[in-house]
């Protein structure tokens, strides 16, 4: 059994790339890094998304956050507020494998990237500041990818430029273990997207995985995490969050808090949270699925 899941409709490219690599025998860690990097540095998908072409911060600099978590070793590698690098997920992979640390930020992350042979590029070649694009609710950019390979190893990875116009140095939920991603070969993995400042205290990816561990399906686990958040806060304070999950049995699921979500590249508005999936046993070609809001109140 091999399977792949990604956040957002633009995650389809990542799932297609993952399918290609998993089917040619690549392991989850490679497949996840390659899928993220493909979207980060692809001119057709990279513009206005993650990595090259991401959104600049308040000072006009692109600052990327990316992370990978290996569900077998439980090793974690992340870079945060990294400037000058088109493919931050590739640096996160190096942190996971070649550094004694798990998280590197800012200048230190860039220094590490240089030591690993990455090239620091000019700002104008990297960020989307010339775009007239305006970020709105349900209109977001974080790519989360989960891959399961034939050996049963599950890996989660995330890449984002965070919130457009953010304060320099700001980091959201995306590159945090348990926040934007979590993976455990004994259960499965999850990844989320949305308003990171609000998401992060809820550790939704960890919770979704733990709930699957208690026997919930990925769909039920994702829904339950969002419903618990909604119950804990005032309804009018509910924020944008979408979660995808994959079990080590290859079962996938997702949930979202909003009624409408817009694809950042095509402008397509979905009546629910769009995500991309592929599963070798069901022989499903990589497809975009849409899950209706799991909350009854109008979002
Ligand atoms: C963040 N969670 O940095 C990210 C933003 C995001 O789709 O998911 N955008 O807050």
């Amino acid at each position: 059994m091999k399977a792949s899941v990604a956040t957002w409709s633009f995650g389809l490219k990542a799932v297609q790339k993952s399918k290609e690599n998993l089917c040619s025998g690549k392991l989850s860690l490679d497949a996840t890094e390659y899928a993220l990097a493909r979207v980060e540095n692809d001119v057709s998908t990279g513009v206005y998304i993650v990595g090259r072409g991401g959104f600049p911060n308040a000072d006009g600099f692109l600052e990327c956050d990316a992370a990978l978590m290996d569900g077998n070793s439980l090793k974690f590698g992340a870079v945060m507020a990294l400037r000058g690098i088109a493919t931050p997920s590739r640096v996160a992979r190096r942190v996971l494998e070649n550094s004694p640390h798990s998280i590197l930020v800012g200048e230190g992350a860039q220094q590490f990237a240089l030591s690993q042979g990455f090239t620091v590029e000019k700002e104008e070649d990297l960020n989307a500041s010339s775009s007239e694009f305006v970020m709105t609710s349900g209109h977001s950019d974080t790519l989360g990818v989960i891959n399961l390979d034939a050996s049963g190893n599950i890996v989660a990875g995330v890449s984002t430029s965070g919130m457009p116009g953010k304060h320099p140095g700001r980091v959201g939920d995306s590159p945090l273990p348990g926040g934007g991603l979590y993976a455990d070969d004994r259960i499965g993995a999850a990844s989320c997207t949305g308003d990171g400042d609000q998401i992060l205290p809820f550790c939704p990816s960890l919770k979704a995985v733990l709930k699957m561990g208690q026997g919930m399906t990925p769909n039920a686990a994702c829904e339950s995490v969002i419903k618990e958040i909604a119950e804990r806060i005032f309804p009018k304070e509910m924020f944008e969050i979408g979660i995808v999950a994959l079990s080590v049995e290859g079962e996938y699921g997702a949930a979202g808090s909003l009624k409408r979500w817009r694809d950042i590249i095509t402008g397509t508005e979905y009546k629910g949270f769009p995500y991309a999936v592929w599963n070798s046993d069901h022989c499903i070609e990589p497809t975009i699925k849409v899950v209706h809001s799991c909350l009854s109140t109008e979002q």
Side-chain angles (χ1 to χ4, degrees):
M1 157 75 71
K2 300 178 278 292
S4 183
V5 181
T7 56
W8 290 99
S9 30
F10 64 79
L12 186 64
K13 295 242 178 188
V15 170
Q16 283 163 340
K17 184 77 181 165
S18 298
K19 175 191 172 189
E20 203 181 294
N21 279 315
L22 292 170
C23 287
S24 70
K26 296 263 184 327
L27 299 179
S28 288
L29 198 54
D30 286 333
T32 308
E33 177 198 332
Y34 300 163
L36 288 165
R38 148 132 210 215
V39 178
E40 286 171 338
N41 206 18
D42 178 335
V43 270
S44 69
T45 57
V47 179
Y48 314 145
I49 301 288
V50 296
R52 186 189 303 284
F55 298 101
N57 67 15
D59 288 350
F61 289 95
L62 174 68
E63 275 184 359
C64 293
D65 306 326
L68 285 163
M69 180 164 179
D70 178 358
N72 176 31
S73 62
L74 301 181
K75 279 193 176 165
F76 189 85
V79 287
M80 303 181 187
L82 173 63
R83 294 187 184 182
I85 308 285
T87 53
S89 64
R90 289 197 187 278
V91 187
R93 168 78 184 269
R94 302 292 182 92
V95 174
L96 188 151
E97 282 183 333
N98 300 348
S99 154
H101 309 300
S102 301
I103 297 176
L104 294 175
V105 308
E107 270 178 40
Q110 196 189 69
Q111 207 179 76
F112 174 77
L114 282 169
S115 77
Q116 295 290 309
F118 288 85
T119 306
V120 172
E121 296 189 41
K122 285 201 221 102
E123 198 54 36
E124 59 264 33
D125 295 335
L126 284 177
N127 85 41
S129 54
S130 57
S131 126
E132 287 165 7
F133 187 84
V134 178
M135 189 85 152
T136 56
S137 187
H139 200 165
S140 225
D141 76 330
T142 298
L143 178 62
V145 179
I146 303 170
N147 281 321
L148 174 69
D149 65 29
S151 75
N153 181 204
I154 199 160
V155 169
V158 169
S159 182
T160 188
S161 56
M163 290 291 170
K166 66 191 177 185
H167 193 286
R170 176 267 187 196
V171 174
D173 62 308
S174 302
L176 300 178
L181 72 167
Y182 198 79
D184 183 344
D185 275 8
R186 294 189 176 174
I187 304 170
S191 177
C192 70
T193 180
D195 182 342
D197 293 292
Q198 309 222 56
I199 289 173
L200 65 84
F202 293 98
C203 301
S205 294
L206 172 64
K207 281 188 194 154
V209 171
L210 294 179
K211 284 173 186 286
M212 288 194 287
Q214 287 161 358
M216 284 191 188
T217 63
N219 259 332
C222 293
E223 275 195 17
S224 166
V225 170
I226 293 180
K227 284 181 174 161
E228 277 179 13
I229 295 172
E231 279 163 22
R232 179 65 183 79
I233 61 180
F234 293 114
K236 65 175 177 13
E237 288 174 356
M238 191 55 206
F239 49 83
E240 176 188 326
I241 176 170
I243 314 181
V244 293
L246 180 68
S247 73
V248 282
E249 286 81 35
E251 196 182 358
Y252 55 79
S257 63
L258 302 185
K259 292 222 180 330
R260 283 168 290 277
W261 298 74
R262 183 190 291 267
D263 182 289
I264 203 168
I265 303 178
T266 61
T268 309
E269 189 165 275
Y270 291 90
K271 290 187 174 149
F273 175 54
Y275 65 108
V277 297
W278 167 72
N279 173 311
S280 65
D281 277 15
H282 303 175
C283 290
I284 303 172
E285 275 307 304
T287 344
I288 295 170
K289 293 196 172 280
V290 178
V291 60
H292 288 258
S293 170
C294 61
L295 301 178
S296 50
T297 48
E298 182 67 39
Q299 305 294 323

